[in-house]
Amino acid sequence: MKKTESELESRVIRGAHGVAAEEDHVLTGKVVQVGVIALAIFLVGGIWAWRLQIAVTKDMVPDGPAPIPALITPDKDHKTAYEIGIVNQRLFELDTHAEQKISAQQQALQNGWADEPGVVARPTISKAMDDVIAAQASTRQPQQAPAPATPPTNAPQQPAPQRQ
C-alpha cells in the first residue's frame, strides 16, 4: 500500500535551521539473520578444520605422537635439565647461574692476589712484559755456537806470488 504524502512527511524531522532528516529505520530482523548465518558458517568451518587436522595427523603419524624426551620431563625432585642443547630451560626468575658467576668474580677481585689478603696488586704493562720475556728466556735452552769450519787438509796448495 502506498503511503500518502502526509504520512511520509510525518516521519521527517525538521531541525532549527530548516534541515530535514528522516528517522533511522534499522531492520533488526535482517541484521540478526545475517549474524546467525555468519556464526553457523564459522562453526561449520571450525568443525571441518578440526576433523581435517585429525585426519592429516593420523596419516602423518600413525603410531601417535613421539614420546617426550627424558631430559625434558621432570625427575623425582621436579627439576628438569638445566640446558638442552644450547637452550636454557629454566625460568629467568629461578636461574641464579649468572649471579653466582659474577659474585665469584667479585669475590676474587676483592681478595686480590698480593701477599696480604684484600690487597689487589697489579703490575704495570712494561713490568708484566719484562716478566714474560724473562720467563721465556729462562725456559729456553742456551744454544751452542757452531764450531768454526776447519780448512780441508787435501786442498791443493798454491804458491804465493813473488814480489819484485
Side-chain angles (χ1 to χ4, degrees), residues 45-162:
I47 293 171
W48 175 71
W50 173 60
R51 294 299 302 157
L52 183 65
Q53 179 190 9
I54 290 173
V56 169
T57 302
K58 282 184 181 177
D59 287 346
M60 295 185 84
V61 187
D63 298 333
I68 297 174
L71 290 175
I72 295 176
T73 57
D75 59 3
K76 61 185 173 192
D77 298 330
H78 302 290
K79 294 180 181 177
T80 57
Y82 171 69
E83 199 172 294
I84 298 175
I86 60 169
V87 179
N88 190 350
Q89 298 293 324
R90 291 189 185 162
L91 295 174
F92 288 127
E93 296 84 26
L94 302 177
D95 190 11
T96 59
H97 181 74
E99 293 172 1
Q100 291 171 352
K101 181 178 178 182
I102 291 172
S103 67
Q105 292 172 347
Q106 295 278 342
Q107 186 67 30
L109 283 175
Q110 289 174 357
N111 290 343
W113 54 272
D115 294 336
E116 301 174 25
V119 175
V120 179
R122 294 185 178 93
T124 62
I125 291 179
S126 59
K127 172 81 171 99
M129 292 304 293
D130 292 341
D131 291 345
V132 169
I133 292 170
Q136 285 182 350
S138 67
T139 58
R140 283 188 186 168
Q141 297 281 336
Q143 294 182 356
Q144 294 180 352
T150 57
T153 57
N154 59 0
Q157 297 285 335
Q158 289 186 7
Q162 295 195 2

Side-chain angles (χ1 to χ4, degrees), residues 36-50:
V36 168
I37 290 172
L39 285 175
I41 290 172
F42 182 76
L43 183 66
V44 168
I47 293 171
W48 175 71
W50 173 60

